[in-house]
Amino acid sequence: MKWKKYTIETTTAAEDFMSSMLMELGIEGIEIEDNIPLTKEDQADMFIDFLPELPPDEGISHVSFYIEDDGSDQSDMLRKVKLGLEDLRDTVDVGSGVISSSETEDLDWINNWKKYFSSFTIGDILIKPTWEEVKPEDADKFMIEIDPGISFGTGKHETTQLCIKQLIKYIEGAKEAPTVLDVGCGSGILSIVALKLGAKEVVGTDLDADCMISTRDNMQVNHLDEKLGTFYVGNLIDDTELQKKVGTEKYDIVVANILADVIIPMAPVIPDRLKEGGYFITSGIIDFKENEVKEAIEAAGLKVIEINHQGEWVNITAQKLNK
């Protein structure tokens, strides 16, 4: 399916007005590009560990909208957009208001990211996207297939690899098949790795309901019985009902591949989830926040037993010791 992309050059002051005007016209696919730095509040809400470097903010914004290019005449809609734009000039500085156009396809949005995800190995484990064929030299490897779908998590990122390495170590080294809690399960890759390695049960949580779809789909792809996994939508940090559903002192391993700014407030609720002697495996921690996360985990009463690095990312593994 082809789409026409129209971009309005405007001002940052007019962004919200412009978006509202377009939505009132029935246009829902809207994109805003500007160089406004994120506030500390925005950074916290979005769980961003470090800010991107942006050019100076000169008050210029580009508001884009998409209309399906089905061969029909789009001049009437464009006329309405231009009239709406002119009406806004009485309310706010809309800048030049110049409208440019280009053409795009669904393929650009949905499939182009796939070229960045290819098969890779961690030890003897082959992690393969569902759309790739198994190479002859990998035929005898322990295979896990993943389609991230609408959720994050291919396994190729350093933070996920750090968690997988720790799961291998602590599941394969366990005397009995462990129970695992996967906080921020995303595409379900860590839950699936845990089950494939021998965990007897996994429970997962995520803020995004779409992750439940991806996780279930990926369990099916890997021929795992759905009864082996239970997944909940919610925030384990402050949702007491979710904490009750997840359970108390139930898990041999809690794994959380999230971000430092989430792990820190989450740390106090983790010990109650773990059995005595259980392990808390974390990553998603940028290196300059290592000490801050370590201190939060220790303040929660857990003992840090391992710290591992891969690139600029950090894994911290801690244990709940007998009182």
Side-chain angles (χ1 to χ4, degrees):
M1 183 183 296
K2 292 185 178 181
W3 298 78
K4 278 283 191 180
K5 177 181 179 181
Y6 295 96
T7 301
I8 306 169
E9 184 178 272
T10 185
T11 67
T12 52
E15 287 176 347
D16 291 341
F17 294 94
M18 200 74 69
S19 297
S20 296
M21 180 268 291
L22 293 171
M23 285 190 285
E24 286 174 3
L25 293 174
I27 296 170
E28 297 180 351
I30 300 170
E31 176 183 79
I32 296 175
E33 298 174 88
D34 59 38
N35 295 325
I36 299 176
L38 291 176
T39 64
K40 289 184 178 179
E41 291 77 14
D42 290 335
Q43 186 179 357
D45 288 343
M46 297 170 70
F47 303 133
I48 294 175
D49 264 326
F50 53 94
L51 295 171
E53 292 186 9
L54 297 174
D57 175 26
E58 298 178 346
I60 297 173
S61 176
H62 293 88
V63 178
S64 299
F65 59 96
Y66 297 82
I67 301 176
E68 183 180 344
D69 187 7
D70 57 3
S72 61
D73 186 4
Q74 299 176 356
S75 58
D76 184 55
M77 177 59 77
L78 286 175
R79 180 183 62 81
K80 291 178 181 178
V81 170
K82 289 175 182 178
L83 287 173
L85 193 155
E86 292 306 313
D87 287 343
L88 287 177
R89 290 189 187 278
D90 297 331
T91 306
V92 66
D93 177 13
V94 300
S96 71
V98 171
I99 302 176
S100 58
S101 66
S102 59
E103 194 173 89
T104 186
E105 298 184 25
D106 275 347
L107 180 64
D108 298 332
W109 306 338
I110 297 174
N111 291 321
N112 277 1
W113 65 271
K114 289 183 177 180
K115 63 188 177 184
Y116 300 109
F117 178 26
S118 55
S119 298
F120 65 101
T121 58
I122 300 176
D124 294 329
I125 299 176
L126 169 69
I127 297 180
K128 182 188 81 65
T130 53
W131 55 87
E132 261 191 21
E133 296 294 327
V134 178
K135 298 175 183 176
E137 60 268 27
D138 293 328
D140 59 346
K141 284 190 170 64
F142 183 72
M143 185 176 71
I144 293 171
E145 293 192 277
I146 291 291
D147 184 347
I150 47 184
S151 302
F152 174 79
T154 63
K156 201 161 189 178
H157 194 275
E158 290 95 333
T159 63
T160 316
Q161 293 188 36
L162 283 163
C163 285
I164 291 173
K165 289 173 183 176
Q166 294 301 91
L167 286 173
I168 293 171
K169 179 174 182 177
Y170 290 99
I171 292 177
E172 291 187 344
K175 294 180 180 178
E176 297 180 357
T179 54
V180 177
L181 173 61
D182 181 3
V183 185
C185 58
S187 64
I189 183 168
L190 295 180
S191 293
I192 291 165
V193 167
L195 288 171
K196 288 276 208 171
L197 288 170
K200 65 180 176 183
E201 177 191 1
V202 297
V203 173
T205 69
D206 203 285
L207 298 176
D208 188 349
D210 288 337
C211 293
M212 306 299 108
I213 299 170
S214 295
T215 297
R216 289 296 181 193
D217 288 348
N218 283 318
M219 285 188 69
Q220 289 179 4
V221 166
N222 287 278
H223 311 292
L224 292 169
D225 188 337
E226 287 190 10
K227 294 178 182 177
L228 295 173
T230 305
F231 300 94
Y232 301 106
V233 178
N235 189 340
L236 194 66
I237 295 172
D238 55 15
D239 188 336
T240 55
E241 285 303 311
L242 178 61
Q243 291 169 11
K244 290 177 184 177
K245 290 177 182 177
V246 165
T248 301
E249 295 189 346
K250 180 180 174 181
Y251 302 96
D252 300 289
I253 296 172
V254 175
V255 60
N257 181 30
I258 313 181
L259 284 175
D261 288 339
V262 184
I263 297 169
I264 290 167
M266 181 190 295
V269 306
I270 297 302
D272 284 345
R273 315 279 79 79
L274 284 168
K275 298 176 183 177
E276 295 290 347
Y279 298 97
F280 182 33
I281 297 171
T282 71
S283 194
I285 306 162
I286 193 70
D287 51 14
F288 59 79
K289 291 209 171 182
E290 176 184 324
N291 288 335
E292 194 176 347
V293 176
K294 178 176 178 289
E295 289 170 4
I297 291 173
E298 290 175 333
L302 300 176
K303 179 178 176 59
V304 172
I305 57 173
E306 272 193 71
I307 296 178
N308 300 291
H309 299 82
Q310 189 167 334
E312 60 188 354
W313 298 97
V314 182
N315 150 252
I316 298 177
T317 299
Q319 188 175 23
K320 180 178 178 179
L321 298 179
N322 296 329
K323 295 178 182 178

